[in-house]
Amino acid sequence: METPAGQQPFYALGHSEKELQRLSRQGQLLGPFTRQLFKEAGISRGMRVLDVGCGSGDVAFLAADLVGLSGEVVGVDRERTAVDWANARAHRRGTRNLHFIEGDPAEMEFDQQFDAIVGRLVLMYYPDPVDTIRKLMRHVRPEGLIVFQELDLENARSLPVAPLFERSVGWIKQTLSATGARIQLGLELYPVFLAAGLPGPSMRVDALIGGGPQCPAYELVAEVVQSLLPVMEKLKIATAAEVGISTLVQRMRDEVVTLGGVVRSAGFIGAWSRKQHSD
């Protein structure tokens, strides 16, 4: 399941301080979904966990809470900016059971194996998710957990159709697809796990849904649009004038409220399985 036409994905959202702050706000919204996924999968006290593509650290902090002081979490990211940011957050919090390091865990070696490998919205940026999972599996002990939560952007929609919300989601889809990201990898996780040599995973799907002025989906969509806007313009998908980022949230909100409608975010699909002894 390589990226089509051999295209090498790049992370269009970037790693600026503003983007890392956005990731943390997004992490707060997705936290309950990821926590439930980890609990159902079996992440528990005393486990040693590897967080792949840790970004600003929110998934690692969540895992650290579940494993407790008797456990350990190692977050890894290819971007030094993200690693430094996450370590600073851990220092401020006084969190003692996790640390963050720079690198690609699919290519790294560790002193000892992990009880679980986790990641959120990270496999979608690898050129070959199957090969990536195969490489990561060497870091997990026999019967250890593999747990990933990935995107289904086709899940995002409005009813009745709110044109600006739909257009904004369309900009995100076009930009991520054009940069090589897999915008429906969540739905591909079952065959990806099988192709990597894992037993068929258990799965769950979560999404934000709501209407009225307080629905968080407006901010979620608008902030992703803002982070992607430089790439959108470069790829001629949308212009800054067309997007009108300073008022985008309010215009989406007003439109949906006027329609008396509802919006649904992308689906966040989790899958988990255990490495077999024969691997």
Side-chain angles (χ1 to χ4, degrees), residues 152-170:
D152 173 22
L153 253 177
E154 295 299 332
N155 187 79
R157 58 172 299 196
S158 57
L159 188 72
V161 171
L164 183 57
F165 180 85
E166 299 282 349
R167 190 156 62 249
S168 299
V169 170

Side-chain angles (χ1 to χ4, degrees), residues 86-221:
N87 273 320
R89 292 180 71 196
H91 179 74
R92 288 194 301 271
R93 292 180 179 206
T95 308
R96 302 193 304 275
N97 62 341
L98 83 163
H99 66 280
F100 300 93
I101 57 177
E102 180 183 359
D104 181 351
E107 306 299 335
M108 297 168 67
E109 298 299 332
F110 297 91
D111 292 339
Q112 62 184 105
Q113 289 186 312
F114 294 85
D115 299 301
I117 294 175
V118 304
R120 182 173 71 193
L121 308 184
V122 60
L123 289 178
M124 62 185 284
Y125 297 108
Y126 274 94
D128 187 342
V130 173
D131 182 62
T132 299
I133 290 182
R134 284 178 182 148
K135 290 177 177 177
L136 290 170
M137 282 168 58
R138 73 186 189 279
H139 300 317
V140 70
R141 64 170 175 79
E143 297 302 317
L145 286 164
I146 308 287
V147 189
F148 283 96
Q149 190 173 45
E150 297 289 337
L151 206 60
D152 173 22
L153 253 177
E154 295 299 332
N155 187 79
R157 58 172 299 196
S158 57
L159 188 72
V161 171
L164 183 57
F165 180 85
E166 299 282 349
R167 190 156 62 249
S168 299
V169 170
W171 291 330
I172 295 170
K173 290 178 184 176
Q174 285 181 263
T175 307
L176 290 178
S177 294
T179 56
R182 291 176 173 271
I183 65 172
Q184 284 192 285
L185 185 59
L187 290 176
E188 298 180 74
L189 284 176
Y190 195 95
V192 164
F193 274 46
L194 289 180
L198 288 164
S202 300
M203 301 182 74
R204 62 173 289 128
V205 61
D206 295 279
L208 298 167
I209 186 167
Q214 304 304 319
C215 179
Y218 315 128
E219 284 84 359
L220 182 67
V221 169

Side-chain angles (χ1 to χ4, degrees), residues 20 23-24 28 55-59 61 83-95 100:
L20 292 169
L23 283 176
S24 291
Q28 291 176 354
S56 58
D58 291 273
V59 170
F61 285 117
V83 169
D84 290 345
W85 180 275
N87 273 320
R89 292 180 71 196
H91 179 74
R92 288 194 301 271
R93 292 180 179 206
T95 308
F100 300 93

